[in-house]
Amino acid sequence: MKTFKYETHLHTRESSACGTSSGADYIKAYIDAGYAGLFVTDHFFGGNTAIPRNLTWKERIKLYVKGYETALESAEKINKEIGSDFKVFFGIEQTFHGDDYLVYGLSPDWLSAHPQVETMTQKELFQAVNEQNGLMIQAHPFRLRDYIQAIHLHPRDVHGVEVYNAGNRPDENELAQLYAAKYNFPVTSGSDIHNVNLVLHPEGHLPIGGVEFLEPLKDVFDYATRIKNKEGKIIL
């Protein structure tokens, strides 16, 4: 049976300070790995962004979406060349005191028109996402690193939980699964990929994440609806 796999958590060097691959670099690699599409979720201004802060808001947003636009342009070119239908969708990753959230449904135009998003609290951002019928997922909720001072959980202000993150230790993913089960949350999986070599490994594909569906995604809001309805299979 044919299925459709999507990467849900991906960073580019254009927009994430920690990204080392261009948005364009990922497209052919993910096609070869059997994926039907990906979401570009670069670090937004509360996190490890590559965007200077001394610009106007619209200039910052224009630079921020470069990673997504570069990936989209590459996908359109490769689709024409090889007759594929690989999709590129837009998302963001926003950070609050070390805890990260993947947001789907706030478009580049919406961001450009809402500069107040930069100073929204986690709860306010969740409300804004709800108003757009989007999706807000807590990424790698139990990750602890030197740059993360504490674990924060907000079960009242999130739609779901990323229970598999390829950059996590196994115990961190296991704790996320227990948390999601306790609150009956929808779950997702993502690679949190920063470099295309995670896919293009000489010994074969390293563990990468994503969500798999029986039917192709139409758009970001289709993804949001399916996850909220607990459709799809997480890729481990």
Side-chain angles (χ1 to χ4, degrees):
M1 178 185 296
K2 181 177 176 60
T3 60
F4 301 85
K5 297 189 293 185
Y6 297 88
E7 174 62 77
T8 67
H9 191 165
L10 178 146
H11 298 279
T12 74
R13 70 183 181 206
E14 287 87 359
S15 307
S16 294
C18 47
T20 53
S21 291
S22 168
D25 295 337
Y26 291 107
I27 306 306
K28 187 62 165 57
Y30 271 96
I31 290 175
D32 291 344
Y35 281 66
L38 58 79
F39 291 82
V40 176
T41 56
D42 278 309
H43 288 293
F44 199 57
F45 303 150
N48 197 18
T49 182
I51 310 307
R53 299 184 184 275
N54 60 342
L55 302 173
T56 68
W57 178 254
K58 291 188 181 298
E59 288 172 333
R60 291 169 71 192
I61 295 300
K62 185 176 181 179
L63 289 177
Y64 175 75
V65 302
K66 281 293 184 182
Y68 160 72
E69 291 177 341
T70 301
L72 182 62
E73 290 170 3
S74 177
E76 291 173 346
K77 179 181 178 182
I78 292 174
N79 283 340
K80 289 180 180 179
E81 291 175 351
I82 67 175
S84 58
D85 189 29
F86 190 85
K87 301 294 187 183
V88 174
F89 302 114
F90 179 76
I92 72 174
E93 183 175 9
Q94 180 64 312
T95 302
F96 300 92
H97 309 293
D99 48 316
D100 298 314
Y101 295 86
L102 298 167
V103 174
Y104 311 90
L106 301 184
S107 69
D109 287 342
W110 189 96
L111 293 175
S112 184
H114 294 81
Q116 66 270 30
V117 68
E118 183 173 20
T119 56
M120 283 181 178
T121 64
Q122 188 270 341
K123 183 175 183 178
E124 289 170 341
L125 180 61
F126 180 65
Q127 292 171 340
V129 174
N130 270 337
E131 290 173 1
Q132 299 301 310
N133 295 316
L135 179 72
M136 188 161 164
I137 298 290
Q138 184 164 8
H140 46 73
F142 289 91
R143 176 180 291 178
L144 274 180
R145 300 291 187 273
D146 291 342
Y147 60 90
I148 300 176
Q149 300 301 313
I151 290 172
H152 302 100
L153 301 175
H154 298 274
R156 290 175 296 187
D157 302 309
V158 71
H159 293 114
V161 178
E162 183 184 62
V163 297
Y164 177 80
N165 181 289
N168 266 11
R169 295 188 295 265
D171 62 302
E172 294 168 335
N173 286 330
E174 290 168 7
L175 285 170
Q177 290 176 338
L178 290 171
Y179 172 52
K182 178 68 175 178
Y183 285 89
N184 196 29
F185 278 135
V187 299
T188 68
S189 162
S191 299
D192 199 357
I193 189 169
H194 291 66
N195 188 293
V196 72
N197 288 332
L198 186 66
V199 186
L200 298 175
H201 193 270
E203 296 178 2
H205 300 313
L206 293 175
I208 52 179
V211 181
E212 187 174 14
F213 297 100
L214 295 177
E215 299 290 337
L217 292 177
K218 299 174 183 177
D219 54 30
V220 172
F221 300 102
D222 185 25
Y223 175 67
T225 298
R226 294 196 205 184
I227 293 299
K228 290 176 182 177
N229 290 338
K230 298 185 177 180
E231 298 178 23
K233 176 183 176 182
I234 61 172
I235 299 170
L236 303 176

